[in-house]
Amino acid sequence: MKNVVRFFLALLFLPLCFSARAEKKPNIVLIICDDAGFADFGFQGSKIMKTPHLDKACASGVRFAEGYVTSAVCAPSRAGIITGRYQQRFGYEQINIIGYMDKNSALKGENMGLPESEKTLANYLKEAGYATGFFGKWHLGDGDQFHPTKRGFDEFIGFRDGSRSYFAYPEKELKKPHMKYKRMEWGYKKFKEPEYYMTDLLGDEAAKFIEKHKEGPFFEIVSFNAVHTPLEYLPEDTAQFPELNGKRKVLAGMTLALDRACGTIFNKLEELGLSDNTIIAFVSDNGGPTDKNASCNLPLSGTKSNYLEGGIRVPFFMTWPAGFPAGLTYDQPVSTLDFGPTFLKAAGLKAQDYKIMDGKDLKPFVNAVTPNAPHDELYWKKAERAAFREGDWKLIRYADRPAELYNIAEDISETNDLALTYPDKVRKMYKKIWEWERHHPAPLWIIDRKWDVYDLERMDKYHLK
């Protein structure tokens, strides 16, 4: 009789069990690499770089062929990613190097960072019951008030500055004033230099975080400093590229290590049976610097720090077996701003639960529930320099020469400037940039004032007054 009762009780609660499983919040792993070239991964078409783990992950999800960041340099781009908001909304557009400043400088390094009034994705997800961790390069403020553990992250292993060695610094070097925020930190003000290659270490620590929080849900950002300078590598990695030499050979070795570290994370998820209910997002924080680390952005023109496609269009994919199709290349423009709404909606939050975000939940778009593009308009701005994409058209505004106009669908390499052919379109798009930027506060920090003051004569030239 007892067994019969148990049987019927099991039948009674079975739908609830399936419902709970179906509604289980997904884990979220956001991987940000640093200064990677658009064409420097197998999933982006490279026949030289060896990235088997990333290629496999990309094939299991959605590759975004037109994935954009919000800035062509590191720190502002990361500010947009971690808030889901254009960084211009809170004055974070001009500064990139938020590190040691000379004591006589008007710029106070320790007071520069992501404004404390801004909530991060980690803040929201922590409130939604997620364990949160950050691993690697922070670059969103060196002062203690900006520390990751004070911005929504339960755990932090990494460094506050924008770059550092991939190996341990000698103690003598660490005593120099400018090294204050390059030190490796394990929590809050607990310092210990890495015992082995930084890229591998970050992958290992991110995997340990997954193991620790395997019951979920968890959210981690793995912010590799690879493949940013300094160009430091393991000889066994570069040895796999005998056909290369110089910086390109070093970059290939560093990219191989990056792929290996990502594989450590992916394998841990697979080992623990978490892959099906985990969102993985992979992106570079800006375009590759073709000079400093010999990145390749082809067929795009441009490089890190400028608003040609090579500076702002990046390797970008997302996987989520429970929510995204596999093997899809999505060819509409998307942005790292979209991480915020996508993650928070998946975690069960509603739009009214968080600040206005500029991105879109990508799930209905990649599943063809919403046939139109996520973004009709995308903007980039740093002082006078700006860019605006509207549909297939892109306008680049300069401080020292006439604007340029390109049709990205027909001219991905931006070699055919159509500004003189379509002057009315230039004027209308130029005015839209002005309308967009006029609603934002002045930049919190100004590096070079001559590029920041709007030139009324230039406004007259484009009939904006």
Side-chain angles (χ1 to χ4, degrees):
M1 183 65 181
K2 288 182 179 179
N3 288 336
V4 173
V5 172
R6 287 172 181 166
F7 174 76
F8 281 107
L9 285 173
L11 288 178
L12 179 64
F13 286 105
L14 192 59
L16 296 177
C17 293
F18 278 115
S19 176
R21 181 176 300 177
E23 295 175 2
K24 187 175 181 181
K25 295 178 179 179
N27 306 305
I28 304 169
V29 178
L30 171 56
I31 299 173
I32 306 172
C33 64
D34 202 344
D35 283 10
F38 184 76
D40 281 337
F41 297 89
F43 66 86
Q44 290 289 92
S46 177
K47 304 299 182 185
I48 298 173
M49 301 297 179
K50 298 178 181 179
T51 54
H53 297 102
L54 288 167
D55 298 346
K56 180 180 177 182
C58 182
S60 69
V62 181
R63 184 179 77 89
F64 295 96
E66 299 189 22
Y68 290 97
V69 289
T70 61
S71 174
V73 291
C74 303
S77 172
R78 291 160 186 267
I81 290 173
I82 209 166
T83 61
R85 290 154 56 83
Y86 278 114
Q87 59 273 12
Q88 288 83 6
R89 282 186 178 271
F90 42 91
Y92 200 123
E93 71 173 65
Q94 286 209 38
I95 194 74
N96 183 39
I97 302 173
I98 306 174
Y100 171 79
M101 295 286 179
D102 185 272
K103 64 182 180 180
N104 297 318
S105 172
L107 296 171
K108 304 299 182 184
E110 292 187 350
N111 295 323
M112 300 161 63
L114 183 70
E116 295 173 82
S117 59
E118 291 299 310
K119 293 185 71 170
T120 69
L121 302 186
N123 289 132
Y124 291 118
L125 289 168
K126 186 173 180 178
E127 291 170 1
Y130 279 68
T132 57
F134 191 99
F135 302 88
K137 169 178 169 174
W138 177 239
H139 209 195
L140 288 170
D142 288 342
D144 290 346
Q145 70 273 32
F146 304 119
H147 195 271
T149 58
K150 298 184 180 181
R151 306 311 301 266
F153 292 96
D154 300 319
E155 301 179 32
F156 171 63
I157 297 175
F159 57 98
R160 304 189 198 186
D161 203 28
S163 66
R164 62 151 289 146
S165 173
Y166 291 76
F167 300 99
Y169 286 115
E171 191 63 33
K172 182 178 179 180
E173 183 74 9
L174 288 171
K175 291 180 179 178
K176 296 178 180 178
H178 71 279
M179 297 294 292
K180 185 176 181 180
Y181 298 113
K182 293 183 181 291
R183 295 177 296 177
M184 191 70 178
E185 202 167 353
W186 302 71
Y188 179 65
K189 292 190 174 181
K190 297 176 182 177
F191 302 103
K192 184 181 74 171
E193 285 298 284
E195 295 179 352
Y196 55 101
Y197 193 59
M198 173 75 78
T199 304
D200 288 315
L201 183 148
L202 293 176
D204 290 344
E205 294 301 328
K208 290 177 185 177
F209 179 85
I210 293 170
E211 178 84 47
K212 181 178 178 181
H213 299 286
K214 60 187 176 183
E215 299 304 319
F218 59 79
F219 168 57
E220 67 174 359
I221 293 181
V222 191
S223 177
F224 290 103
N225 51 325
V227 290
H228 195 290
T229 54
L231 296 181
E232 297 176 347
Y233 59 93
L234 296 176
E236 57 267 35
D237 289 337
T238 54
Q240 296 200 36
F241 302 91
E243 73 280 16
L244 300 178
N245 54 58
K247 291 181 180 179
R248 192 70 179 155
K249 185 184 186 79
V250 174
L251 178 68
M254 295 173 73
T255 303
L256 179 64
L258 170 66
D259 181 77
R260 179 172 62 244
C262 290
T264 299
I265 297 168
F266 303 154
N267 290 339
K268 178 57 68 174
L269 290 168
E270 190 70 30
E271 172 193 325
L272 298 174
L274 300 176
S275 297
D276 286 348
N277 196 41
T278 298
I279 299 172
I280 298 172
F282 177 87
V283 74
S284 179
D285 63 348
N286 47 247
T290 54
D291 53 350
K292 292 182 179 179
N293 70 1
S295 295
C296 178
N297 295 323
L298 296 175
L300 310 179
S301 293
T303 181
K304 175 182 178 178
S305 300
N306 68 45
Y307 290 148
L308 291 165
E309 292 288 281
I312 55 177
R313 187 162 161 179
V314 296
F316 191 136
F317 73 76
M318 294 180 70
T319 73
W320 183 16
F324 287 171
L328 174 68
T329 294
Y330 188 77
D331 60 2
Q332 296 288 351
V334 301
S335 168
T336 48
L337 295 168
D338 300 326
F339 290 146
T342 303
F343 295 166
L344 300 189
K345 181 71 178 296
L349 280 77
K350 296 179 174 59
Q352 59 265 31
D353 296 331
Y354 48 85
K355 275 187 176 183
I356 293 173
M357 290 191 178
D358 296 298
K360 300 287 182 65
D361 173 18
L362 293 178
K363 184 179 177 182
F365 293 95
V366 299
N367 284 288
V369 176
T370 304
N372 55 313
H375 300 278
D376 296 324
E377 301 178 349
L378 287 171
Y379 296 87
W380 298 266
K381 177 181 176 288
K382 181 179 180 181
E384 272 283 346
R385 288 192 301 136
F388 170 42
R389 177 161 176 176
E390 183 179 39
D392 292 332
W393 292 93
K394 179 181 168 188
L395 182 82
I396 305 178
R397 184 185 76 185
Y398 297 97
D400 56 349
R401 61 187 185 272
E404 297 172 359
L405 179 69
Y406 299 101
N407 186 307
I408 299 300
E410 298 176 358
D411 180 22
I412 191 175
S413 300
E414 296 171 292
T415 57
N416 184 23
D417 179 8
L418 299 172
L420 294 179
T421 307
Y422 299 99
D424 287 345
K425 182 171 284 292
V426 170
R427 184 170 60 253
K428 289 176 182 178
M429 292 182 71
Y430 203 105
K431 189 171 183 178
K432 280 194 174 183
I433 295 176
W434 171 248
E435 289 297 323
W436 176 79
E437 65 188 347
R438 68 189 287 265
H439 295 291
H440 297 145
L444 292 173
W445 314 285
I446 297 172
I447 298 303
D448 186 347
R449 294 208 61 91
K450 71 179 181 180
W451 299 114
D452 187 67
V453 178
Y454 287 106
D455 185 344
L456 295 180
E457 291 182 3
R458 186 173 176 80
M459 290 170 61
D460 278 332
K461 177 180 177 182
Y462 288 96
H463 310 292
L464 297 179
K465 287 186 70 176

